[in-house]
Amino acid sequence: MTATALQRTLTHELAQFEGQTVKLQGFLHARRDLGGVQFLVLRDVSGIAQCVGSGLELPLSESSVEVVGSVKAHPKAPGGFEVQVESFRVISAATAPTPVEIPKMEWNVNPETMLDYRVVSVRGLKERAALKVQAELVAAFRDHLMTEGFTEISTPKIVSAGAEGGANLFPIDYFGQPAYLAQSPQLYKQIMVGVFERVFEVAPVYRAEEHATSRHLNEYLSLDVEMGFIEDEEDVMALENRLLAAIMTRLSARCETEFALLGATIPDVPVHIPRITLMDARELVGDKYAHPVGGKDLDPEAERLLCQHYAETEGSDFVFVTKYPRAARPFYAHPDEGDLTRGFDLLFRGIEITSGGQRIHDHAMLMDSIAAYKLNPETLTGYTEVFKYGMPPHGGFAIGAERLTAKLLGISNVRYARAFPRDRHRLTP
Ligand code: AMO
């Protein structure tokens, strides 16, 4: 059979072809010349394969290449098989050496350099593993919500007013009119509850965070959910609980290699994720860990300690923090007794990955809240109007996809959980 008549085999399928001739196509991941004998590692979408040949003229690393050869068991080769090269072809030659050695890259070895050269460094096995896990996570998010009757929506990313308050809006010039990049689909996803009752969106959102931290991006992927006809925020937390369980089930089934490569473990999602009120949480980290509690929210160290407590005492990597005060939540949060709201956060392995809660659905209550937050009601009419038309009690949440991905995989900075991160100092590539 001629090489071109052979079907392409993927590197992860080699075991099925022992003793047979296969055609592999991929990138020249690594190469070694031992005087006449050449070893090359070919990388394709499914993994890597070691190939050995002689008299080959190997191109620069990362060239796309084709190998035709026979598959032999070889315990020391990745995956336990090696391909003995019968013919070798360069499909598209690299014309310059890569600025970083892809197979030798490690996390945190000069991370800025790795991000500078992201167009090619992102091909690294660990780098792409993070993005692959995120892709599966997003697919599981969609699949699970659809089984629960949710409909996917797509809302504007160019908006006339902020949804979340605060100063972190990116202003843009919209044909001479002031506008902003959307901080969140919040107001639109609520409006769409009036259409589909249960909705979700997977889309980037924009936050003009001034500070470069390991948990903040200026553009991140927001996994948003909103559902109508709820009793209270408990229904929303229960939904997120089921959703996370479904996500972890899919990751266990489809991302074993990626988790192994990164030395990470998939968490067990408790049937009932523990809950603690913000007030009790502050007391707990104060009493148990002598961590001073100031401010209206938990600081990053308090989040870490609270997670440590639940990991140690209940074996849970997750904890819901509930009953946030109004001062810590946006105007749309549904009030609860005292000056509290029905808002919650979900912490996972030491960091907040979700905010959510029940929202105000009563028009008069909403207008009062807008006044109490000293917002200009005129800028919000496109949103507040809908509450004149029978909006049901509703609530939802948003998961920061990069934070969840990073914490799942033990990646220290959310920037590596995004293909092309936008941070305080980075607009390219
Ligand atoms: P919030 O502003 O808390 O809530 O954001 C929700 C989740 O998004 C993630 N996140 C970020 N990730 C990376 N970089 C950032 N700068 C960043 N900011 C937030 C976090 C956070 O928990 N509308 C509400 C959600 C809702 O109530 O439905 C909202 O946007 O994981």
Side-chain angles (χ1 to χ4, degrees):
M1 203 187 290
T2 62
T4 42
L6 270 176
Q7 290 282 338
R8 182 182 177 195
T9 298
L10 290 176
T11 56
H12 78 147
E13 298 168 327
L14 285 186
Q16 301 163 33
F17 291 92
E18 187 177 357
Q20 298 178 42
T21 297
V22 295
K23 176 168 87 180
L24 300 177
Q25 293 182 329
F27 300 88
L28 185 55
H29 185 66
R31 31 174 287 176
R32 206 148 39 102
D33 201 326
L34 297 180
V37 181
Q38 289 95 29
F39 288 91
L40 59 118
V41 177
L42 178 145
R43 184 188 73 245
D44 66 15
V45 65
S46 70
I48 55 174
Q50 178 174 303
C51 310
V52 58
S54 58
L56 307 177
E57 285 210 15
L58 294 180
L60 290 172
S61 288
E62 290 306 312
S63 295
S64 21
V65 297
E66 179 180 281
V67 167
V68 173
S70 54
V71 181
K72 297 276 174 323
H74 189 298
K76 286 195 183 146
F81 291 89
E82 182 181 75
V83 175
Q84 299 189 331
V85 182
E86 289 158 14
S87 73
F88 177 79
R89 183 167 75 92
V90 177
I91 298 170
S92 173
T95 55
T98 54
V100 280
E101 274 191 83
I102 307 269
K104 294 196 177 152
M105 290 185 312
E106 279 301 332
W107 293 114
N108 298 336
V109 174
N110 204 344
E112 290 303 328
T113 308
M114 272 171 43
L115 289 176
D116 287 346
Y117 299 121
R118 191 73 166 160
V119 292
V120 62
S121 68
V122 73
R123 293 184 186 183
L125 294 175
K126 290 184 178 177
E127 284 68 17
R128 85 172 183 189
L131 302 180
K132 167 73 176 165
V133 167
Q134 190 170 91
E136 289 292 338
L137 185 162
V138 168
F141 175 85
R142 284 200 166 96
D143 283 357
H144 180 78
L145 289 170
M146 295 205 282
T147 65
E148 291 214 29
F150 284 75
T151 302
E152 184 160 6
I153 57 169
S154 179
T155 66
K157 303 304 154 217
I158 301 176
V159 296
S160 64
E164 304 302 326
N168 59 2
L169 278 166
F170 279 114
I172 57 169
D173 173 6
Y174 193 68
F175 305 116
Q177 199 181 322
Y180 306 95
L181 295 179
Q183 280 172 310
S184 140
Q186 182 64 37
L187 307 183
Y188 292 99
K189 69 176 176 172
Q190 287 183 249
I191 294 169
M192 292 305 283
V193 165
V195 182
F196 294 121
E197 299 175 21
R198 299 174 160 215
V199 296
F200 70 91
E201 178 162 4
V202 176
V205 295
Y206 302 88
R207 303 274 171 110
E209 313 281 359
E210 288 287 347
H211 307 288
T213 77
S214 61
R215 54 165 68 193
H216 289 102
L217 289 159
N218 296 106
E219 177 180 57
Y220 71 90
L221 186 64
S222 188
L223 307 180
D224 271 90
V225 174
E226 199 71 19
M227 74 194 286
F229 298 101
I230 61 170
E231 238 8 270
D232 56 32
E233 74 275 31
E234 270 298 327
D235 289 342
V236 182
M237 287 189 273
L239 169 67
E240 185 166 19
N241 205 146
R242 294 191 297 278
L243 177 60
L244 286 166
I247 289 174
M248 299 316 152
T249 301
R250 177 163 173 145
L251 295 184
S252 306
R254 300 182 62 122
C255 294
E256 209 189 336
T257 319
E258 287 74 17
F259 276 81
L261 184 66
L262 293 168
T265 51
I266 299 176
D268 288 328
V269 181
V271 179
H272 184 81
I273 293 175
R275 286 124 163 86
I276 184 169
T277 64
L278 177 67
M279 212 132 67
D280 289 347
R282 292 162 67 118
E283 208 171 290
L284 191 148
V285 294
D287 292 352
K288 180 166 174 179
Y289 299 103
H291 179 72
V293 279
K296 45 190 183 183
D297 201 347
L298 298 173
D299 60 42
E301 180 61 5
E303 288 181 353
R304 198 184 64 74
L305 293 169
L306 192 64
C307 286
Q308 186 180 326
H309 169 81
Y310 280 97
E312 283 168 8
T313 58
E314 298 197 26
S316 175
D317 283 349
F318 299 89
V319 54
F320 279 116
V321 182
T322 63
K323 306 283 181 212
Y324 275 77
R326 292 192 84 183
R329 298 311 262 211
F331 71 95
Y332 55 76
H334 197 293
D336 206 60
E337 280 149 35
D339 63 349
L340 300 180
T341 67
R342 297 188 187 165
F344 63 83
D345 277 4
L346 178 64
L347 310 188
F348 170 56
R349 294 184 176 164
I351 184 176
E352 175 207 314
I353 57 157
T354 286
S355 282
Q358 184 175 348
R359 335 293 192 182
I360 298 175
H361 63 278
D362 177 274
H363 184 261
M365 188 192 275
L366 185 62
M367 299 317 287
D368 285 350
S369 182
I370 288 171
Y373 279 76
K374 300 196 167 34
L375 298 171
N376 177 359
E378 272 165 35
T379 62
L380 293 166
T381 17
Y383 165 70
T384 55
E385 282 293 290
V386 80
F387 295 90
K388 293 178 181 166
Y389 307 114
M391 285 293 287
H394 62 282
F397 57 86
I399 304 174
E402 294 80 5
R403 284 195 190 175
L404 177 56
T405 309
K407 278 292 150 181
L408 276 171
L409 295 171
I411 297 171
S412 59
N413 192 308
V414 285
R415 291 188 294 172
Y416 299 109
R418 200 156 172 85
F420 302 105
R422 292 288 168 260
D423 64 35
R424 185 68 186 80
H425 305 289
R426 189 173 296 282
L427 195 50
T428 57

